[in-house]
C-alpha cells in the first residue's frame, strides 16, 4: 500500500488551533484514501523545534531528524503552506532549506533519499500568490530529488483583502474538489509506477 505524509507549514504553533492549510490537506487526504493510499497523521512543523540550517541534523533538540524520517518513509509528500505576502510562508521555506541536505546524501547511484518519491502541494490564502507559491515549492522540491506529477497543486485563494478563510467555508468549492481528485489520482499513479520501477540513477565514479 502506498503511504502519504502530510506536512502542514502553517504559522500556527498550537496544534489545536484551526488551520486552513489542514483543511486543504484534508481535501487531498480524502481523495488519496479513496484511491487506497494510507495517509499518515499530519505533521505541523511550527509545533516542533526545527532550527534553521541546511543539514539533516542541527544538533541538540533538533526535531527535524524524526520528521525527516517520517517524510522519507512515505511514497507521497503532501506539502501544505499558507500564502503570506504573496508567497510560500517562512515555515515552508524552513522545511525546504532543511531538505537541501539531500543533495549530499546520495547513494552509490547518485540518487538523493527523495528519489522516486512524489510531492504535491496544498496551498491556501486570502491574497493572490498560489501560482507563485507553487512555483517556489515545486522548483525547490525538484532540486532536492522529489518527482512532481502533472497537476500537482490544489489551492484556494479568497477575495483580495477579504476576511474569509478556507476553513470557514460551508462547503468545499466544486473546482477545488475536482482539482483534488486530479492531484490525488496523478500522484498515486506516479507513485505506484516509481515504487515498481525506481529511477536508475547513474554509477558514481
Amino acid at each position: 500500500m502506498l503511504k502519504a505524509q502530510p506536512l502542514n507549514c502553517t504559522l500556527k504553533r498550537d496544534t489545536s488551533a484551526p488551520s486552513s492549510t489542514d483543511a486543504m490537506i484534508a481535501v487531498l487526504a480524502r481523495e488519496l484514501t479513496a484511491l487506497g493510499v494510507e495517509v499518515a497523521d499530519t505533521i505541523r512543523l511550527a509545533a516542533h523545534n526545527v532550527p534553521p540550517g541546511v543539514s539533516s541534523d542541527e544538533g541538540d533538540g533538533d526535531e527535524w531528524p524524526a520528521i525527516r524520517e517520517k517524510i522519507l518513509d512515505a511514497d507521497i509528500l503532501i506539502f501544505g503552506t499558507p500564502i503570506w505576502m504573496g508567497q510560500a510562508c517562512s515555515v515552508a521555506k524552513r522545511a525546504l532549506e532543511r531538505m537541501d541536505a539531500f543533495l549530499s546524501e546520495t547513494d552509490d547511484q547518485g540518487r538523493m533519499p527523495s528519489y522516486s518519491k512524489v510531492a504535491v502541494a496544498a496551498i491556501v490564502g486570502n491574497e493572490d500568490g498560489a501560482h507563485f507559491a507553487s512555483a517556489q515549492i515545486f522548483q525547490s522540491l525538484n532540486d532536492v530529488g522529489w518527482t512532481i506529477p502533472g497537476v500537482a497543486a490544489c489551492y484556494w485563494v479568497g477575495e483580495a483583502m477579504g476576511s474569509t478563510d478556507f476553513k470557514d467555508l460551508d462547503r468545499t468549492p466544486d473546482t477545488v474538489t475536482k482539482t483534488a481528485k486530479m492531484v490525488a489520482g496523478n500522484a498515486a499513479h506516479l507513485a505506484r509506477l516509481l515504487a515498481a520501477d525506481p529511477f536508475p540513477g547513474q554509477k558514481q565514479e
Side-chain angles (χ1 to χ4, degrees), residues 1-173:
M1 178 182 285
L2 293 176
K3 183 178 180 180
Q5 177 61 65
L7 183 68
N8 183 351
C9 296
T10 176
L11 300 182
K12 297 175 180 176
R13 299 176 61 185
D14 182 358
T15 55
S16 67
S19 161
S20 286
T21 309
D22 263 343
M24 182 60 79
I25 287 172
V27 173
L28 278 174
R30 282 194 297 271
E31 299 301 335
L32 285 166
T33 300
L35 293 170
V37 178
E38 176 190 352
V39 180
D41 292 337
T42 297
I43 300 168
R44 186 175 291 203
L45 199 64
H48 297 271
N49 179 32
V50 178
V54 291
S55 75
S56 285
D57 191 341
E58 288 292 326
D60 247 4
D62 184 8
E63 295 182 55
W64 177 254
I67 294 170
R68 174 188 180 278
E69 184 177 354
K70 290 180 179 180
I71 289 172
L72 293 177
D73 186 48
D75 305 283
I76 300 169
L77 170 64
I78 304 174
F79 194 97
T81 182
I83 298 167
W84 285 106
M85 298 180 174
Q87 56 191 306
C89 75
S90 60
V91 175
K93 292 176 183 178
R94 175 73 52 91
L96 296 170
E97 288 163 353
R98 294 302 300 268
M99 289 187 215
D100 186 76
F102 293 172
L103 292 166
S104 60
E105 296 173 350
T106 55
D107 64 12
D108 60 1
Q109 300 295 318
R111 295 173 296 194
M112 288 177 268
S114 48
Y115 258 46
S116 299
K117 296 180 183 294
V118 172
V120 297
I123 302 171
V124 292
N126 285 329
E127 55 188 277
D128 196 10
H131 285 157
F132 180 52
S134 63
Q136 291 176 300
I137 293 165
F138 291 145
Q139 179 61 56
S140 300
L141 289 173
N142 186 254
D143 278 351
V144 294
W146 297 91
T147 300
I148 313 301
V151 189
C154 193
Y155 66 88
W156 177 88
V157 179
E159 182 183 4
M161 299 184 180
S163 58
T164 300
D165 293 330
F166 183 69
K167 62 180 171 57
D168 300 325
L169 300 181
D170 293 331
R171 58 183 293 275
T172 303

